[in-house]
Structures are given as C-alpha cells and as structure tokens.
Amino acid sequence: MATQSEVTKSNALRNVAIIMDGNGRWAKSNALQVSKGHEKGVGVVREIVEESINQNIESLTLFAFSSENWGRPNKEISSIKKLIIKAIDDQLEDLINQKVLLSFFGDIEAFGDSIVSKINLAENKTKIAKPSLRLNIALGYGGQQDILNIIKKAAADALEKNISINSLDKDYIINNSCVPEESIDLLIRTGGDKRVSNFLLYQIAYAEIMFIDEYWPDFTKKLYIDLISRFKKVSRRFGKRV
Ligand code: IPE
Ligand code: IPE
Ligand code: MG
C-alpha cells in the first residue's frame, strides 16, 4: 500500500496541451469581427508561454488550427494565415531570448510557401540543445489523420520488409507520429465545450482533461496557475491500485 506521503505528493507537470477554443464567440460577444478574436488569442499565447517557463513545464502543445478548420469561410482562413506570419514576426526575437524551442506539426504544406518558409526559419532560429520550453504548435493537424498516416507507414514498412509486424510497438507509433510529444499530462480546453475535437488522440491516453468555460481570449495567467495547482492534487493511478 502507498504511504501517506506517496499519496499526497504532488504530480510533476511536464507536458501541457491546450485546445484554445472560443475566439469566435469572444469576438461576437464583444461585437467584433472573428479575426479580432484570433488576434486577441495570439496575445494570450505569449502570456501562457511565459508562465509555462516560470512553472518549469517542459512542453506546451497548442491547437491553433485543425484539419477540419479548413471548412471555415475563406475570409477567416486568410486572416488566420496573416496572423500566423505576424505572430512569428512579432514574437520570434522574444522566443529566442527566452530559449524556447519552437516546432510546428500537422499538414503545414497546405498553408502555402510563404508560411512554410516562415515556419522553417522560426524553427531553425529557435533550435537549442537545452530549451527552457518546447513550444509545439498544431497547424492543419488532426489526430485521426495522424493515426492513419502511421498505419500507412507501418504497412509500407512491413511490405518492404523494413520491419517485422511483431516488432510494431508503442515506440514505433510515437516515433512516426507528427506530434513532438510522447504523452500529455494535462489537457486544457477553453470555451466551454467538453470534447477533444480530433486533438492528440493517442497522446492524451492518461492526460488529466480540464474543460473551462472562459473563451481563449479571456484566459489568464491566474486561471492557468489555478489549473496547474488542481492538476498537482489529482491522484494519477495509470490503472494501478495505489
Ligand atoms: C478557436 O476558436 C480557434 C480556431 C479554431 C482557429 P474558434 O474560432 O473555434 O472560436 P469559437 O469556438 O467559434 O468561439
Ligand atoms: C478545435 O476547436 C480546434 C482549435 C482550437 C484549433 P473547433 O472550434 O474547431 O472545434 P469544434 O468544431 O467546436 O469541435
Ligand atoms: Mg471553436
């Protein structure tokens, strides 16, 4: 049986992921264009990155645009594309100074050459051996698509005899997923909806999932700190009897 100190000891929080939802509703409730909601949302990212470093979190994985978000109006998509370029231009210097390692994952090619080259530049400039934080941005990402791509790769590797089917294991999945993190400890979704909307399906197997009502542009450092302290009090059992 676990001792009292084992039961009460706080959880280490290494890998956080956030579904930053509610930009559209925030804009609507403030009588603004949806693009203004996305713009305000980018500002919140800056604060949460800062606090993640303060909290010694190892990685922060943010859902910025899903595979399914391509179904939105062209006007909204082009404002998001402009915002991606602007966010990188505005924040790259600070990220370098903060020793943040920046990575993007998902179907980035679909965003076009100018975004692809901007992302490559940002990733190269923030490459660092011992980062203060790994900041991963999901763009054009879908968990189901990622799993399907892994299956296709495994089938091709098996057919070409690069691997034996019996050697397929968890490491193969992790190494061939486009997601930079192996597993998530805490998944936060803002905006009030209680669903994961095709984010990190494999990596959230044992994540604590916290749904909060605030729209992403209203998310604050204080709320983030509260969720982190809630996480630290949770009993994580991983299926075991403790
Ligand atoms: C999340 O906010 C950002 C993206 C999906 C790009 P939404 O734009 O989905 O905001 P709501 O859910 O419509 O309020
Ligand atoms: C999830 O939010 C995607 C991002 C936050 C980038 P959505 O707004 O796309 O999810 P649904 O449509 O409400 O499930
Ligand atoms: Mg939404």
Side-chain angles (χ1 to χ4, degrees), residues 58-212:
E58 291 176 20
S59 77
L60 177 65
T61 302
L62 302 176
F63 206 6
F65 194 90
S66 76
S67 313
E68 290 70 28
N69 289 151
W70 286 114
R72 295 198 176 190
N74 287 338
K75 192 174 165 211
E76 181 176 356
I77 291 174
S78 66
S79 77
I80 291 174
K81 283 183 176 174
K82 282 193 198 122
L83 210 51
I84 295 169
I85 304 256
K86 187 174 180 323
I88 294 176
D89 284 343
D90 289 351
Q91 298 192 29
L92 189 57
E93 222 39 60
D94 283 348
L95 293 174
I96 296 169
N97 292 334
Q98 289 169 307
K99 298 189 164 45
V100 171
L101 191 158
L102 181 62
S103 317
F104 290 81
F105 65 100
D107 184 8
I108 313 282
E109 304 283 317
F111 286 81
D113 290 347
S114 56
I115 292 193
V116 170
S117 53
K118 187 63 78 182
I119 284 175
N120 286 340
L121 175 103
E123 288 182 338
N124 286 329
K125 287 207 166 176
T126 57
K127 246 184 211 137
I128 184 166
K130 284 198 178 134
S132 62
L133 176 77
R134 299 186 296 274
L135 175 60
N136 311 307
I137 313 283
L139 269 190
Y141 168 83
Q144 291 179 332
Q145 291 80 345
D146 191 27
I147 290 170
L148 182 61
N149 287 335
I150 299 165
I151 293 171
K152 285 182 181 169
K153 167 96 169 36
D157 276 346
L159 278 173
E160 289 160 20
K161 306 224 182 302
N162 299 326
I163 53 161
S164 71
I165 288 177
N166 286 336
S167 72
L168 284 172
D169 58 6
K170 198 177 166 195
D171 284 343
Y172 183 92
I173 297 175
I174 289 161
N175 294 333
N176 288 288
S177 166
C178 68
V179 179
E181 304 303 328
E182 178 173 337
S183 63
I184 298 301
D185 300 305
L186 170 62
L187 173 67
I188 297 166
R189 181 179 185 135
T190 60
D193 287 314
K194 295 175 181 63
R195 54 180 176 255
V196 292
S197 299
N198 206 12
F199 196 38
L200 309 180
L201 300 181
Y202 187 82
Q203 293 78 5
I204 59 170
Y206 269 101
E208 298 305 321
I209 306 187
M210 297 186 188
F211 298 104
I212 64 158

Side-chain angles (χ1 to χ4, degrees), residues 21-22 25 72:
D21 196 29
R25 281 164 289 165
R72 295 198 176 190

